[in-house]
Amino acid sequence: MGGHGSDRGQGEGQLRPDRQAEIEAAARALAAGQLVLLPTETVYGLGADAANPAAVAAIFDAKGRPRFNPLIAHVADLETAARLAVFDDRALALARAFWPGPLTLVAPIRDADAVCDLARAGLDTVAIRVPSHPLSRAVLAAFGGPVVAPSANRSGRPSPTTYADALGETGDRCAVTLDGGPCEVGLESTVVAVLDGPPRLLRPGAVTRVQLEAVVGPLAEAQDDAKRSPGRMALHYAPDAPVRINAVAPEPGEAFLAFGPWPAGEGVFNLSPTGSLSEAAANLFSFLRAADRIRPLGIAVAAIPHEGLGEAINDRLRRAAGFVG
Ligand code: TXA
Ligand code: MG
């Protein structure tokens, strides 16, 4: 945990007063077209002014990200979101139910200058979310406009969920880096497209399918999501060592990500000894990185139940293992 880790999980408006200077420095850096390392409740983001094409280009460059993969615009509240995009009744219902929080909504773009073409990869839709982490909320309020922030990892690598991991990925490209402690959720936001037809789940996350359907009814069946959510290619979230999923036990030379009761030992990282999916989600990316650091022949991962948050965990694991989701 970083020096400011005590801000984790605090409610809105409860940031320690000594963080105000950092927040203002971050807002100034964004206004000057610089990059900012931004903690959110899901994963650390690499933030830039969404309206500034040069700043947005610097994000793609820092991540080594293909330019056909659009970014998420982060805003302070639903009112700002509704100025940027066309929110129909279903989008409004989802936003009211889950914002601020780990849900991203894809809707038709309304203000094409506020989130520039490059940020949207030329699409006529935009992905928007209102994060709940008090530091990101404070920076968004101080800056005033939308901030695009992909996960702060270099393209294809696991998303950083601690300040140290985020610094190691893209921290050197940032004018200001904010330590928000370990990320509470640990997986990227749920992405839902609300366009023609029923809402479509583009990326599973902490807001589960069951929770979404309780608000808007049945979601559209998964289709060729690679087309609609262009970043969702195979071999994403991948550590250096090959990942083997649904493992019953590790083979010699493998690290093991266990789930549930399992004897401690060298190379064993238990995602949740009690079998909690939210604990496993919060640990997943940092444990993949920790397992990688012991330079194993491979990383074996125990089977994770496919209910609730398990859908999102298994999505990331399949991609880490190189399977298309
Ligand atoms: O939790 C999160 O969402 C984190 C934190 C930092 O907020 N951000 C994040 O951003 O995960 P990124 O860029 O790593 O993932 C954005 C996802 C990609 O899969 C991208 O293809 C999809 O959102 N996306 C963005 N705009 C889209 C659009 N207009 N239509 C469909 N998918 C879109
Ligand atoms: Mg990402």
Side-chain angles (χ1 to χ4, degrees):
M1 192 180 291
H4 301 295
S6 61
D7 281 333
R8 178 192 178 191
Q10 288 188 356
E12 202 180 339
Q14 298 189 13
L15 288 171
R16 294 202 311 252
D18 62 346
R19 307 220 66 180
Q20 202 51 41
E22 286 177 84
I23 291 161
E24 279 159 22
R28 275 197 307 275
L30 291 168
Q34 295 173 313
L35 304 187
V36 167
L37 194 62
L38 197 67
T40 84
E41 73 281 15
T42 57
V43 302
Y44 274 79
L46 181 63
D49 177 358
N52 181 336
V56 174
I59 285 189
F60 283 94
D61 185 51
K63 281 181 62 81
R65 177 169 173 131
R67 293 195 179 210
F68 55 78
N69 189 1
L71 307 177
I72 296 172
H74 297 65
V75 296
D77 50 44
L78 173 55
E79 289 65 44
T80 312
R83 281 199 295 273
L84 296 181
V86 182
F87 275 38
D88 66 12
D89 289 348
R90 302 162 310 166
L92 287 174
L94 288 170
R96 289 194 181 112
F98 301 111
W99 282 357
L103 174 68
T104 295
L105 295 171
V106 174
I109 185 74
R110 190 196 287 279
D111 184 346
D113 294 327
V115 183
C116 69
D117 238 48
L118 181 58
R120 287 179 283 108
L123 298 175
D124 55 8
T125 57
V126 61
I128 306 184
R129 89 177 185 97
V130 176
S132 65
H133 193 293
L135 269 177
S136 45
R137 302 209 73 195
V139 170
L140 291 169
F143 176 62
V147 171
V148 281
S151 50
N153 53 288
R154 293 192 43 83
S155 195
R157 308 233 324 128
S159 298
T161 54
T162 68
Y163 182 59
D165 286 344
L167 278 183
E169 289 284 334
T170 52
D172 59 334
R173 304 296 190 105
C174 295
V176 174
T177 66
L178 296 176
D179 182 352
C183 300
E184 220 168 327
V185 174
L187 295 180
E188 307 82 357
S189 61
T190 304
V191 181
V192 176
V194 189
L195 303 167
D196 300 332
R200 189 175 296 280
L201 183 61
L202 300 184
R203 180 173 75 182
V207 176
T208 65
R209 182 187 292 274
V210 169
Q211 288 177 300
L212 295 165
E213 292 190 333
V215 175
V216 284
L219 301 176
E221 272 316 300
Q223 59 164 34
D224 185 2
D225 282 350
K227 280 206 193 89
R228 281 210 174 251
S229 199
R232 313 241 57 219
M233 59 272 277
L235 208 62
H236 212 120
Y237 313 104
D240 292 332
V243 172
R244 182 168 69 87
I245 56 179
N246 297 319
V248 175
E251 301 286 341
E254 279 183 333
F256 187 48
L257 266 54
F259 180 77
W262 189 267
E266 209 186 324
V268 174
F269 303 82
N270 201 325
L271 290 168
S272 175
T274 61
S276 150
L277 288 169
S278 57
E279 185 184 21
N283 285 330
L284 180 65
F285 288 139
S286 62
F287 282 17
L288 281 173
R289 288 169 183 276
D292 228 8
R293 281 196 286 271
I294 67 171
R295 301 257 154 244
L297 291 178
I299 302 173
V301 187
I304 306 290
H306 203 71
E307 72 223 14
L309 195 48
E311 183 178 1
I313 296 173
N314 285 321
D315 170 80
R316 306 308 190 274
L317 283 172
R318 278 199 308 275
R319 289 166 199 277
F323 298 113
V324 188

